[in-house]
Amino acid sequence: TQAYLELGVLFTTDPALPPRDKELTILRTGWLLGAPIIWGEHLAGGKAAGLTADDIERLTQGSAAAGWSEDDRAIVRAAEELHFDAMISDETWAALASRLDERQLIELPMIVGHYHMTAFMQNSLRFPPREGNPGLAAR
């Protein structure tokens, strides 16, 4: 478990992705996986990174929802493609590569994979959310 925790710390202590992109990625992944701990715990970080109530509601709807900027839509779509297709499409990759550097492009699928693994563990072991975390009902 120590190595697993250290991987999570890496994304926190020396992140490459801007905070907004990171939280969009984590929150969309958490929503797709029905992961109450991830969703509930990361909403505060998302709000601190500038996500609005409308952004948060759009995260429950996905990349096809109206109102996303093109940059945000590409991040959300990348999380969806990784979830459903196990890879980012060429179109989405091109949109991401137009503004993200190589390190950021590498970190994005690593974050999605890390949170998939986290959700698999938390959901399977039926970890309850911490007190004050309303889970998937949080907005």
Side-chain angles (χ1 to χ4, degrees):
T1 56
Q2 185 61 33
Y4 175 78
L5 292 174
E6 289 174 9
L7 178 60
V9 168
L10 175 66
F11 299 133
T12 305
T13 59
D14 190 25
L17 281 174
R20 181 181 178 88
D21 291 346
K22 178 182 168 191
E23 294 303 331
L24 284 169
T25 302
I26 294 167
L27 286 165
R28 184 60 181 152
T29 298
W31 186 263
L32 289 170
L33 291 164
I37 297 173
I38 292 170
W39 179 262
E41 293 293 325
H42 278 272
L43 272 180
K47 290 174 183 177
L51 297 182
T52 66
D54 289 340
D55 293 330
I56 291 164
E57 190 56 36
R58 274 193 293 275
L59 280 166
T60 69
Q61 300 165 19
S63 62
W68 287 121
S69 70
E70 288 307 310
D71 288 345
D72 287 351
R73 185 180 313 279
I75 290 288
V76 174
R77 192 171 55 232
E80 293 167 350
E81 290 173 354
L82 286 163
H83 177 78
F84 293 112
D85 303 326
M87 68 179 297
I88 298 172
S89 71
D90 291 342
E91 178 186 351
T92 301
W93 190 265
L96 294 168
S98 72
R99 71 178 185 87
L100 299 178
D101 65 27
E102 183 177 85
R103 183 169 176 234
Q104 292 167 327
L105 289 167
I106 292 168
E107 186 175 281
L108 194 151
M110 289 178 69
I111 287 174
V112 172
H114 178 76
Y115 282 93
H116 267 82
M117 182 172 56
T118 300
F120 294 162
M121 182 178 62
Q122 290 172 344
N123 290 351
S124 295
L125 298 176
R126 275 94 175 147
F127 284 2
R130 288 192 287 188
E131 188 175 327
N133 177 347
L136 295 171
R139 298 290 188 278

